[in-house]
Amino acid sequence: MSSFSRFTPLVSSLPSTVPFVGPEAIERNRGISVKARIGANENGFGPAPSVIAAIHEAATETWKYNDPENFDLKDALARHLGIGRENLAIGEGVDGLLGLIVRMVVEPGTPVVTSLGGYPTFNFHVAGFGGRLVTVPYAGDREDLDGLLEAAKREKAPLVYFANPDNPMGSWWEAGAIVEFARALPSDCLLVLDEAYSETAPASAIPSIADLIEMPNVIRTRTFSKAYGLAGARVGYVIGTPGTVVAFDKIRNHFGMSRIGTAAALAALKDQAYLQEVIVRIKASRERIGAIARDNGLQPLPSATNFVAIDCGRDGAYARAIVDGLMEHGVFIRMPGVAPLNRCIRISVGPEADMALLAESLPKVLKALG
Amino acid sequence: MSSFSRFTPLVSSLPSTVPFVGPEAIERNRGISVKARIGANENGFGPAPSVIAAIHEAATETWKYNDPENFDLKDALARHLGIGRENLAIGEGVDGLLGLIVRMVVEPGTPVVTSLGGYPTFNFHVAGFGGRLVTVPYAGDREDLDGLLEAAKREKAPLVYFANPDNPMGSWWEAGAIVEFARALPSDCLLVLDEAYSETAPASAIPSIADLIEMPNVIRTRTFSKAYGLAGARVGYVIGTPGTVVAFDKIRNHFGMSRIGTAAALAALKDQAYLQEVIVRIKASRERIGAIARDNGLQPLPSATNFVAIDCGRDGAYARAIVDGLMEHGVFIRMPGVAPLNRCIRISVGPEADMALLAESLPKVLKALG
């Protein structure tokens, strides 16, 4: 293929394959329709009716750029969290914000610490800026806080990524351990504490805002994609000190937020009653997934998220065969990418119709695999 | 302010001020309501009714991530333009795509050629990656193709930005001159041909797709923000050779596009009849703006865009006073940032109510200024 000849050496060195395969691509490539979309940790219960109404109302305003300062959404989040607007930055989902954070800290060769098998999009961004990934294995299916701390110190890394609750395992630490970890990190090491799943976690697992808000080397990332049911709207935010958070303004796409997505997020934040309802449904769905797993002789792991990792008791090839087999029945799920996590499959919560199809399909798939 | 101590030297060196002031910020800061929003080159005629319907329909699907491959939108654009899907990349508006292009080519110190007073967001991205801006003055209120070519060669620049039609002046070149310019550039200099306003330009001003599609060092950027009336949806795209365009996949935010915005763009592309109607209205509104200017003794410049630059005949301070004065009447407009372009004000097209308020307010403002 005829390509421009003078991309940077870094960009030239990056793989040109698309790293993320969506369910739509699987449908196109395999000619199968997804009937139960329970693989991408979306929220099949959907956003609140009040949010749908807000989207309808905002539709006619979509000829306008969104406010580049995201004032209203920052203001609402600040009130909701009991912090200042200056403690917040808004971006196109946590994925987009992670890209900005990596860009702020990483130059070619910079060591960056994360868990082996942790969130691949973070790794994608680190590679994209030429960073050197230093990975720490999970311990007992949880990210290893002691190991991450040791690696960050050993490598004199300026950046460490830690998700609580964790994706892809659904595991979590208690707040006290996380605060201790954050305080033990060198002050010149930035902790990205990814809390995309914070709303569905036990309250005891989430540090209070006050616990970390004074620390310039901690950025917490949160999203409207999970419990709020707005994955397609692309609205995420970060919480940090004003001095740290202002750095986003230096490099972000100031007109990157969609107007309708922002209106949807504002409405979703306002409707906390619906959020609480959905969290109850998510927890019930986690139980349902666990029961289906056990009915089939598989072992569900505890989860604080909107998905459940299920130990299938064998190797990655076996788990992959289950993932592929379920897709034959129209059940889209995913699985962790590296051993030993990849003995598991990962199933997102969803409405009862999805669960029923899972319950019906899983025994067939397991039987066919023997 | 207490900030993280170890951002990259480049990020540390960037200014932390918000570079783009939206009308919402002016409203907040000055306590004035915008009644005529004709400053940001949006399209106040709005998107098609069919697009509003598509947004309503997509609302309930917004719990799903958008297809990271943007297959359907690429497919529709490819058919519309008579090219392959592999000639296209999709992104969060031209602004987001420009950031990616700059990242692909620019390292600290890299010379980048653009016009003095050209699109500031491009300059923002160049600064953000440490590039060295080499600017060429406009000639006769048009970007100076000969000057840009000479500067690109002299500096051995790997990147040159040229908008046709141009923002902020609304001027344009004929297609033949642009193709000649593209072919005269060294093959290791990437031309960003920004065609955000292509739909409202004379057909003779836009090179055919075939004219440039074989050139690995040409990327054309287009958007749904202007003629299609979807600025708030954040959907832009680039056209280039497959080998060049694939580079976007190496670094883009694969899940950055909103699901509703994508659905809106698809519907907008389908409704070419509405687009043609709107283009007629845009042209009529340009005439109306020109007439209002002349009625007030000001000189409208020819425009191929959805805005009109108006020569106010004095210096930048005078034009700024007109911009500020109109805002007092609720009329939001903007102006070019540097001399000699800043003898002008820049007014975007809009519905008749906006034009009527402009016609009513402008003489008052000019009279007050004397």
Coordinates of all heavy atoms in Angstrom, one line a residue, chain A residues 280-343:
Chain A
V280 N -29.6 -2.1 41.4 CA -30.3 -3.3 41.9 C -30.4 -4.3 40.9 O -30.2 -5.5 41.1 CB -31.7 -2.9 42.5 CG1 -32.5 -4.1 42.9 CG2 -31.5 -2.0 43.8
R281 N -30.8 -3.9 39.7 CA -31.0 -4.8 38.6 C -29.6 -5.5 38.2 O -29.6 -6.6 37.8 CB -31.6 -4.1 37.3 CG -33.1 -3.9 37.5 CD -33.7 -3.6 36.2 NE -34.3 -2.3 36.2 CZ -34.8 -1.6 35.1 NH1 -34.8 -2.2 33.9 NH2 -35.4 -0.5 35.3
I282 N -28.6 -4.6 38.2 CA -27.3 -5.1 37.8 C -26.8 -6.2 38.8 O -26.3 -7.3 38.4 CB -26.2 -3.9 37.8 CG1 -26.5 -3.1 36.5 CG2 -24.8 -4.5 37.8 CD1 -25.7 -1.8 36.5
K283 N -27.1 -5.9 40.1 CA -26.7 -6.9 41.1 C -27.5 -8.2 40.9 O -26.9 -9.3 41.0 CB -26.8 -6.3 42.5 CG -25.8 -5.3 42.8 CD -25.9 -4.6 44.2 CE -24.8 -3.6 44.4 NZ -25.0 -2.8 45.6
A284 N -28.7 -8.1 40.6 CA -29.6 -9.3 40.4 C -29.1 -10.1 39.2 O -29.0 -11.3 39.2 CB -31.0 -8.9 40.3
S285 N -28.7 -9.3 38.2 CA -28.2 -10.0 37.0 C -26.8 -10.7 37.2 O -26.6 -11.7 36.7 CB -28.1 -8.9 35.8 OG -27.8 -9.6 34.6
R286 N -26.0 -10.1 38.0 CA -24.8 -10.7 38.4 C -25.1 -12.1 39.1 O -24.4 -13.1 38.8 CB -23.9 -9.9 39.4 CG -23.3 -8.7 38.8 CD -22.2 -8.1 39.6 NE -22.5 -7.8 41.0 CZ -22.3 -6.6 41.7 NH1 -21.9 -5.6 41.0 NH2 -22.6 -6.5 42.9
E287 N -26.1 -12.1 40.0 CA -26.4 -13.3 40.7 C -27.0 -14.3 39.6 O -26.6 -15.5 39.7 CB -27.5 -13.0 41.7 CG -27.1 -12.2 42.9 CD -25.9 -12.8 43.6 OE1 -25.9 -14.0 43.9 OE2 -24.9 -12.0 43.9
R288 N -27.7 -13.8 38.7 CA -28.3 -14.7 37.7 C -27.2 -15.4 36.9 O -27.2 -16.6 36.6 CB -29.2 -13.9 36.8 CG -29.9 -14.6 35.7 CD -31.2 -15.2 36.1 NE -32.0 -15.6 34.9 CZ -32.0 -16.9 34.4 NH1 -31.3 -17.8 34.9 NH2 -32.8 -17.2 33.3
I289 N -26.2 -14.5 36.5 CA -25.1 -15.1 35.7 C -24.3 -16.1 36.5 O -24.0 -17.2 36.0 CB -24.1 -13.9 35.3 CG1 -24.8 -13.0 34.3 CG2 -22.8 -14.5 34.6 CD1 -24.0 -11.7 34.0
G290 N -24.1 -15.8 37.8 CA -23.4 -16.7 38.7 C -24.2 -18.1 38.8 O -23.6 -19.2 38.8
A291 N -25.5 -18.0 38.9 CA -26.3 -19.2 39.0 C -26.2 -20.0 37.7 O -26.1 -21.3 37.8 CB -27.8 -18.8 39.3
I292 N -26.3 -19.4 36.6 CA -26.2 -20.1 35.3 C -24.8 -20.8 35.2 O -24.7 -21.9 34.8 CB -26.4 -19.1 34.1 CG1 -27.8 -18.6 34.1 CG2 -26.0 -19.8 32.8 CD1 -28.0 -17.4 33.2
A293 N -23.8 -20.1 35.6 CA -22.5 -20.7 35.6 C -22.4 -21.9 36.5 O -22.0 -23.0 36.0 CB -21.4 -19.7 36.1
R294 N -22.9 -21.8 37.7 CA -22.9 -23.0 38.6 C -23.7 -24.1 38.1 O -23.3 -25.3 38.2 CB -23.3 -22.5 40.0 CG -22.2 -21.8 40.8 CD -22.6 -21.5 42.3 NE -23.7 -20.5 42.3 CZ -23.5 -19.2 42.5 NH1 -22.2 -18.7 42.6 NH2 -24.5 -18.4 42.5
D295 N -24.9 -23.8 37.5 CA -25.7 -24.8 37.0 C -25.0 -25.6 35.9 O -25.4 -26.8 35.6 CB -27.0 -24.2 36.3 CG -27.9 -23.7 37.3 OD1 -27.8 -24.0 38.5 OD2 -28.9 -22.9 36.9
N296 N -23.9 -25.0 35.3 CA -23.2 -25.7 34.3 C -21.8 -26.2 34.7 O -20.9 -26.5 33.9 CB -23.1 -24.8 33.1 CG -24.4 -24.6 32.3 OD1 -24.7 -25.5 31.5 ND2 -25.1 -23.6 32.6
G297 N -21.7 -26.2 36.1 CA -20.4 -26.7 36.6 C -19.2 -25.7 36.5 O -18.1 -26.1 36.6
L298 N -19.5 -24.5 36.2 CA -18.4 -23.5 36.2 C -18.5 -22.6 37.4 O -19.5 -22.5 38.1 CB -18.6 -22.6 34.9 CG -18.8 -23.4 33.6 CD1 -19.0 -22.4 32.4 CD2 -17.6 -24.3 33.3
Q299 N -17.4 -21.9 37.7 CA -17.2 -21.2 38.9 C -17.2 -19.7 38.7 O -16.2 -19.1 38.2 CB -15.9 -21.6 39.6 CG -15.6 -21.0 40.9 CD -16.7 -21.3 41.9 OE1 -17.2 -22.4 42.0 NE2 -17.2 -20.3 42.6
P300 N -18.3 -19.0 39.1 CA -18.3 -17.5 38.9 C -17.4 -16.9 40.0 O -17.4 -17.3 41.1 CB -19.8 -17.1 39.2 CG -20.3 -18.2 40.1 CD -19.6 -19.5 39.6
L301 N -16.7 -15.8 39.6 CA -15.9 -15.1 40.6 C -16.7 -14.0 41.1 O -17.6 -13.4 40.5 CB -14.6 -14.6 39.9 CG -13.7 -15.6 39.2 CD1 -12.4 -14.9 38.7 CD2 -13.4 -16.8 40.1
P302 N -16.4 -13.6 42.4 CA -17.1 -12.4 43.0 C -16.9 -11.2 42.0 O -15.8 -11.0 41.5 CB -16.4 -12.2 44.3 CG -15.7 -13.5 44.6 CD -15.3 -14.1 43.3
S303 N -17.9 -10.4 41.9 CA -17.8 -9.2 41.0 C -18.4 -7.9 41.7 O -19.4 -8.0 42.3 CB -18.5 -9.4 39.7 OG -18.6 -8.2 39.0
A304 N -17.7 -6.8 41.5 CA -18.2 -5.5 42.0 C -18.6 -4.7 40.8 O -18.7 -3.4 40.9 CB -17.1 -4.8 42.8
T305 N -18.7 -5.3 39.6 CA -18.9 -4.5 38.3 C -20.2 -4.9 37.7 O -21.1 -5.4 38.4 CB -17.7 -4.9 37.4 OG1 -17.8 -6.3 37.0 CG2 -16.4 -4.6 38.0
N306 N -20.3 -4.6 36.4 CA -21.6 -5.0 35.7 C -21.3 -6.2 34.8 O -22.0 -6.4 33.8 CB -22.1 -3.8 34.9 CG -21.3 -3.4 33.7 OD1 -20.1 -3.9 33.6 ND2 -21.8 -2.6 32.8
F307 N -20.3 -7.0 35.2 CA -20.1 -8.2 34.5 C -19.6 -9.3 35.5 O -19.3 -8.9 36.7 CB -19.0 -8.0 33.4 CG -17.7 -7.5 33.9 CD1 -16.7 -8.4 34.4 CD2 -17.4 -6.2 34.0 CE1 -15.5 -8.0 34.9 CE2 -16.2 -5.7 34.5 CZ -15.2 -6.6 34.9
V308 N -19.5 -10.5 35.1 CA -19.0 -11.6 36.0 C -18.0 -12.4 35.2 O -18.2 -12.8 34.0 CB -20.1 -12.5 36.4 CG1 -19.6 -13.6 37.3 CG2 -21.2 -11.7 37.2
A309 N -16.8 -12.5 35.8 CA -15.8 -13.4 35.2 C -16.1 -14.8 35.7 O -16.4 -15.0 36.9 CB -14.4 -13.0 35.6
I310 N -16.0 -15.8 34.8 CA -16.4 -17.2 35.2 C -15.2 -18.1 34.9 O -14.7 -18.2 33.7 CB -17.6 -17.6 34.4 CG1 -18.8 -16.8 34.8 CG2 -17.9 -19.1 34.7 CD1 -20.0 -17.0 33.9
D311 N -14.8 -18.7 35.9 CA -13.6 -19.7 35.8 C -14.1 -21.0 35.1 O -15.0 -21.6 35.7 CB -13.0 -20.0 37.2 CG -11.8 -20.8 37.1 OD1 -11.5 -21.5 36.1 OD2 -11.0 -20.8 38.1
C312 N -13.6 -21.2 33.9 CA -14.1 -22.4 33.2 C -13.2 -23.7 33.5 O -13.5 -24.7 32.9 CB -14.1 -22.2 31.7 SG -15.2 -20.8 31.3
G313 N -12.2 -23.5 34.3 CA -11.5 -24.6 34.9 C -10.5 -25.2 34.0 O -9.8 -26.2 34.4
R314 N -10.3 -24.7 32.8 CA -9.3 -25.2 31.9 C -8.4 -24.1 31.4 O -8.3 -23.1 32.0 CB -9.9 -26.1 30.8 CG -10.8 -27.2 31.3 CD -11.0 -28.2 30.2 NE -12.2 -28.9 30.3 CZ -12.8 -29.7 29.4 NH1 -12.2 -29.8 28.2 NH2 -13.9 -30.3 29.6
D315 N -7.9 -24.2 30.2 CA -7.0 -23.2 29.6 C -7.7 -22.2 28.8 O -8.9 -22.2 28.6 CB -5.8 -23.9 28.9 CG -6.3 -24.6 27.6 OD1 -7.6 -24.6 27.4 OD2 -5.5 -25.2 26.9
G316 N -6.9 -21.3 28.2 CA -7.4 -20.2 27.4 C -8.1 -20.7 26.1 O -9.1 -20.1 25.6
A317 N -7.6 -21.8 25.6 CA -8.2 -22.4 24.3 C -9.6 -22.8 24.6 O -10.6 -22.7 23.8 CB -7.4 -23.5 23.8
Y318 N -9.8 -23.4 25.8 CA -11.2 -23.9 26.2 C -12.1 -22.7 26.3 O -13.2 -22.8 25.8 CB -11.0 -24.7 27.4 CG -12.4 -25.3 27.9 CD1 -13.0 -26.3 27.1 CD2 -12.9 -25.0 29.1 CE1 -14.2 -26.9 27.6 CE2 -14.1 -25.5 29.5 CZ -14.8 -26.5 28.8 OH -16.0 -27.0 29.2
A319 N -11.7 -21.7 27.1 CA -12.5 -20.5 27.3 C -12.8 -19.9 25.9 O -14.0 -19.5 25.7 CB -11.8 -19.5 28.2
R320 N -11.8 -19.8 25.0 CA -12.1 -19.2 23.7 C -13.1 -20.0 23.0 O -14.0 -19.4 22.3 CB -10.7 -19.2 22.9 CG -10.8 -18.9 21.5 CD -11.4 -17.6 21.1 NE -10.8 -16.4 21.8 CZ -11.4 -15.2 22.0 NH1 -12.7 -15.0 21.5 NH2 -10.8 -14.2 22.6
A321 N -13.1 -21.3 23.1 CA -14.1 -22.2 22.4 C -15.5 -21.9 22.9 O -16.4 -21.9 22.2 CB -13.7 -23.6 22.5
I322 N -15.6 -21.6 24.2 CA -16.9 -21.3 24.8 C -17.4 -20.0 24.2 O -18.5 -19.8 23.8 CB -16.8 -21.3 26.3 CG1 -16.5 -22.7 26.8 CG2 -18.1 -20.8 26.9 CD1 -16.2 -22.8 28.4
V323 N -16.5 -19.0 24.2 CA -16.8 -17.7 23.7 C -17.3 -17.8 22.2 O -18.4 -17.3 21.9 CB -15.6 -16.7 23.8 CG1 -15.9 -15.4 23.0 CG2 -15.3 -16.4 25.2
D324 N -16.5 -18.5 21.4 CA -16.9 -18.7 20.0 C -18.2 -19.5 19.9 O -19.0 -19.2 19.0 CB -15.8 -19.4 19.3 CG -14.5 -18.5 19.1 OD1 -14.7 -17.2 19.3 OD2 -13.5 -19.0 18.8
G325 N -18.3 -20.5 20.7 CA -19.5 -21.4 20.7 C -20.8 -20.6 21.0 O -21.8 -20.7 20.3
L326 N -20.7 -19.8 22.0 CA -21.9 -19.0 22.4 C -22.3 -18.0 21.3 O -23.4 -17.8 21.1 CB -21.6 -18.2 23.7 CG -21.7 -19.0 25.0 CD1 -21.2 -18.2 26.2 CD2 -23.1 -19.5 25.2
M327 N -21.3 -17.5 20.6 CA -21.6 -16.5 19.5 C -22.4 -17.3 18.4 O -23.2 -16.6 17.8 CB -20.3 -16.0 18.9 CG -20.5 -14.9 17.9 SD -21.2 -13.3 18.5 CE -21.7 -12.6 16.9
E328 N -22.1 -18.5 18.2 CA -22.9 -19.3 17.3 C -24.4 -19.3 17.6 O -25.3 -19.4 16.7 CB -22.5 -20.8 17.2 CG -21.1 -21.0 16.7 CD -21.0 -20.7 15.2 OE1 -22.0 -20.9 14.5 OE2 -19.9 -20.2 14.8
H329 N -24.7 -19.1 18.9 CA -26.1 -19.0 19.4 C -26.6 -17.5 19.5 O -27.6 -17.2 20.0 CB -26.3 -19.7 20.7 CG -26.0 -21.1 20.7 ND1 -27.0 -22.1 20.5 CD2 -24.9 -21.9 20.8 CE1 -26.5 -23.3 20.5 NE2 -25.2 -23.2 20.6
G330 N -25.7 -16.6 19.0 CA -26.1 -15.2 19.1 C -25.8 -14.6 20.4 O -26.2 -13.4 20.7
V331 N -25.0 -15.2 21.2 CA -24.6 -14.7 22.5 C -23.2 -14.1 22.5 O -22.2 -14.9 22.4 CB -24.7 -15.8 23.7 CG1 -24.3 -15.2 25.0 CG2 -26.2 -16.3 23.7
F332 N -23.1 -12.8 22.5 CA -21.8 -12.1 22.4 C -21.3 -11.9 23.8 O -21.8 -11.2 24.6 CB -22.0 -10.8 21.7 CG -20.8 -9.9 21.9 CD1 -19.5 -10.2 21.4 CD2 -20.9 -8.7 22.5 CE1 -18.4 -9.3 21.5 CE2 -19.9 -7.8 22.7 CZ -18.6 -8.1 22.2
I333 N -20.1 -12.6 24.1 CA -19.4 -12.4 25.4 C -17.9 -12.2 25.0 O -17.5 -12.3 23.9 CB -19.6 -13.5 26.4 CG1 -18.9 -14.8 25.9 CG2 -21.1 -13.8 26.7 CD1 -18.7 -15.8 27.0
R334 N -17.1 -11.9 26.0 CA -15.7 -11.8 25.8 C -14.9 -12.6 26.9 O -15.5 -13.2 27.7 CB -15.2 -10.3 25.8 CG -15.6 -9.5 24.5 CD -14.8 -8.3 24.4 NE -15.0 -7.6 23.1 CZ -15.4 -6.3 22.9 NH1 -15.6 -5.6 24.0 NH2 -15.5 -5.8 21.7
M335 N -13.6 -12.4 26.8 CA -12.8 -13.2 27.8 C -11.5 -12.4 28.0 O -11.1 -11.6 27.1 CB -12.5 -14.6 27.3 CG -11.7 -14.6 26.0 SD -11.3 -16.3 25.5 CE -10.0 -16.7 26.6
P336 N -10.8 -12.6 29.1 CA -9.5 -12.0 29.4 C -8.5 -12.4 28.3 O -8.6 -13.5 27.8 CB -9.1 -12.4 30.8 CG -10.4 -12.8 31.4 CD -11.3 -13.4 30.3
G337 N -7.5 -11.6 28.1 CA -6.5 -11.9 27.0 C -5.3 -12.7 27.4 O -4.7 -13.2 26.5
V338 N -4.9 -12.8 28.7 CA -3.7 -13.5 29.0 C -3.9 -14.5 30.1 O -4.8 -14.3 31.0 CB -2.6 -12.4 29.4 CG1 -2.3 -11.5 28.3 CG2 -2.9 -11.7 30.7
A339 N -3.0 -15.5 30.2 CA -3.0 -16.5 31.2 C -2.5 -15.8 32.5 O -1.7 -14.9 32.5 CB -2.1 -17.6 30.8
P340 N -3.0 -16.2 33.7 CA -4.0 -17.3 33.9 C -5.4 -16.8 33.9 O -6.3 -17.6 34.0 CB -3.6 -17.8 35.3 CG -3.1 -16.6 36.0 CD -2.5 -15.7 35.0
L341 N -5.6 -15.5 33.6 CA -6.9 -14.9 33.6 C -7.8 -15.6 32.5 O -9.0 -15.6 32.6 CB -6.9 -13.4 33.4 CG -5.9 -12.6 34.3 CD1 -6.0 -11.1 34.0 CD2 -6.1 -12.9 35.8
N342 N -7.1 -16.0 31.4 CA -7.9 -16.4 30.3 C -8.4 -17.9 30.4 O -8.9 -18.5 29.5 CB -7.1 -16.3 29.0 CG -5.9 -17.2 29.0 OD1 -5.6 -18.0 30.0 ND2 -5.1 -17.2 27.9
R343 N -8.4 -18.4 31.6 CA -9.2 -19.6 31.9 C -10.6 -19.2 32.1 O -11.5 -20.1 32.2 CB -8.6 -20.3 33.2 CG -8.9 -19.6 34.4 CD -8.2 -20.1 35.7 NE -8.7 -19.6 36.9 CZ -8.5 -18.4 37.4 NH1 -7.6 -17.6 36.7 NH2 -9.0 -17.9 38.5

